[in-house]
């Protein structure tokens, strides 16, 4: 097939890991006879430096025209001043919203060869295979009003407001996607909320129950976010698909990365109504190691696999790429975050040549 893929390297280690993701996609294209056309655009801090805005119109337009978008990371200390008018993160949020990507899928599995990297006991990791579906364009990140003001007549008291807001429509569509994804898995959806305190969570729970009725082959359970945070560390294998509000999902998915052993391993897919999706590792721009060539490319390469699966419908190719990553890890290849010494490009090469064991492809691979 022919597909146009927009690359948004972004900031920090973003360009290094996106280059690795591109190599993985090019290797897939050669092995399976597809034509992928890559276009690179600015987003995040680098876009602020070049254009004054974190998401230039041209970038958003290019993403809308593409079949899929692969992003590295945005942000860094350079743009971090509390008084900054524009922040790199605004670019990412505007992109998610601008493309209508309301569901963020974050699969978490524990590779047996990496279990020792997790601070948790091996028995807490056995059988962990869960999929987060984080709501991505609503909730606390986007609710209105959102403001800061000096309270009138208070003698200078400053007040800041963020709003946790959801409509039934927003809840239903993301919960429905969670059920659709649970079907071919273990058929179990856990909806995480704070319904003992928040009105938005009570609506969330009601809508989740209504959607569950459409999927009689699946089960639905509810759990409060505080106890779910604990269960992730004590009995994560008891989860299958987890669906939750934007900020709860942001926090819980970083927590869940502890299960996998490193934040550098985890991919994500952000999806909306159509096939267009945004794919990015869940790690950030890691300014402390940027430019050293030592970032773990696995999170981005596994994001590229999700891109093949969800935006291009290439399941066989996605599975081949995931197997290549598994193989490289099983054979002991490790970047620095995993206690090894492989560079980003060396790790990428290990993965790529497992995809293309036949000689001509391996020789033509230049990193
Ligand atoms: C993530 C990140 C982003 C988020 C930031 C960079 C805006 O933490 O993708 O999890 O909070 O969604
Ligand atoms: Mg986050």
């Amino acid at each position: 097939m022919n597909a146009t893929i927009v690359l948004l390297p972004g900031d920090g280690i973003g360009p290094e890991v996106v280059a690795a993701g591109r190599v993985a996609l090019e290797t897939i294209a050669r092995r399976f006879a597809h034509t992928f056309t890559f276009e690179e655009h600015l987003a995040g801090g680098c876009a602020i430096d070049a254009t004054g805005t974190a998401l230039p119109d041209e970038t958003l337009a290019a993403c809308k025209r593409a079949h899929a978008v692969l992003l590295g990371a945005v942000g860094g200390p350079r743009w971090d001043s509390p008084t900054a008018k524009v922040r790199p993160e605004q670019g990412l949020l505007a992109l998610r919203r601008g493309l209508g990507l309301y569901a963020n899928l974050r699969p978490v599995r524990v590779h047996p060869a990496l279990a020792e990297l997790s601070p948790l006991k091996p028995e807490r990791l056995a059988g962990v295979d869960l999929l987060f579906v984080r709501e991505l364009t609503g909730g606390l990140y986007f609710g209105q009003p959102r403001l800061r003001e000096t309270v009138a007549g208070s003698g200078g008291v400053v007040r800041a407001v963020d709003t946790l807001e959801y409509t039934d429509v927003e809840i239903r569509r993301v919960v429905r996607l969670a059920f659709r994804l649970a079907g071919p898995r273990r058929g179990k959806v856990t909806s995480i909320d704070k319904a003992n305190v928040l009105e938005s969570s009570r609506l969330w729970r009601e809508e989740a129950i209504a959607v569950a009725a459409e999927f009689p082959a699946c089960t639905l359970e509810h759990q409060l976010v505080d106890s779910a945070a604990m269960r992730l560390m004590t009995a994560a294998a008891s989860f299958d698909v987890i669906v939750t509000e934007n900020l709860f999902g942001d926090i819980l998915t970083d927590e869940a990365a502890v299960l996998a052993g490193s934040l550098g391993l985890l991919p994500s897919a952000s999806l909306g109504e159509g096939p267009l999706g945004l794919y990015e590792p869940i790690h950030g721009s890691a300014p402390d190691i940027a430019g050293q060539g030592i970032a773990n490319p696995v999170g981005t390469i596994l994001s590229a696999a999700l891109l093949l699966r969800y935006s291009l419908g290439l399941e066989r190719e996605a599975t081949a790429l995931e197997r290549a990553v598994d193989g490289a890890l099983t054979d002991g290849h490790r970047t620095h975050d995993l206690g090894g010494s492989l560079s980003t490009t060396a790790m990428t090469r290990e993965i790529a040549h497992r995809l293309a064991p036949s000689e001509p492809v391996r020789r033509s691979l230049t990193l």
Side-chain angles (χ1 to χ4, degrees), residues 99-103 169 173-174 176-177 180 270-276:
L99 298 177
L101 306 174
Y102 61 79
V169 177
R173 65 184 181 183
V174 72
R176 199 167 279 131
L177 180 66
R180 269 195 234 123
S270 300
L271 306 175
E273 292 304 342
L276 173 62

Side-chain angles (χ1 to χ4, degrees), residues 89 96 106 134 141 250:
E89 291 79 4
R96 291 170 176 172
R106 296 187 169 185
R134 166 189 174 193
Y141 276 56
D250 179 48

Side-chain angles (χ1 to χ4, degrees), residues 192-195 223-230 244 248-249 252 255:
I192 292 177
D193 60 34
K194 187 71 186 175
Q223 183 153 21
L224 297 174
V225 62
D226 47 355
S227 71
M230 198 174 75
T244 193
F248 295 163
L252 293 177
E255 186 194 0

Side-chain angles (χ1 to χ4, degrees), residues 74 89 92-93 96 106 134 136 141 250 254 280 282:
V74 298
E89 291 79 4
L92 184 54
L93 299 184
R96 291 170 176 172
R106 296 187 169 185
R134 166 189 174 193
L136 203 59
Y141 276 56
D250 179 48
D254 266 30
E280 51 177 319
I282 86 159

Side-chain angles (χ1 to χ4, degrees), residues 166-288:
Y166 271 113
T167 66
D168 53 358
V169 177
E170 288 172 315
I171 299 167
R172 258 185 261 136
R173 65 184 181 183
V174 72
V175 173
R176 199 167 279 131
L177 180 66
F179 272 96
R180 269 195 234 123
L181 292 163
R185 294 171 51 98
R186 302 195 300 284
K188 182 170 162 188
V189 174
T190 306
S191 170
I192 292 177
D193 60 34
K194 187 71 186 175
N196 53 348
V197 177
L198 302 175
E199 194 54 38
S200 58
S201 283
R202 287 193 274 272
L203 178 63
W204 184 285
R205 214 173 254 222
E206 280 171 37
E207 297 303 325
I209 291 169
V211 170
E214 301 167 19
F215 298 88
C218 294
T219 59
L220 170 67
E221 66 170 357
H222 306 278
Q223 183 153 21
L224 297 174
V225 62
D226 47 355
S227 71
M230 198 174 75
R231 181 170 155 203
L232 267 178
M233 295 293 100
T234 55
S238 65
F239 289 114
D240 180 12
V241 175
I242 292 174
V243 62
T244 193
E245 186 267 339
N246 203 342
L247 181 67
F248 295 163
D250 179 48
I251 297 168
L252 293 177
T253 50
D254 266 30
E255 186 194 0
V258 173
L259 300 161
S262 167
L263 203 54
L265 295 166
L266 296 188
S268 83
S270 300
L271 306 175
E273 292 304 342
L276 173 62
L278 167 69
Y279 300 84
E280 51 177 319
I282 86 159
H283 63 68
S285 60
D288 52 324

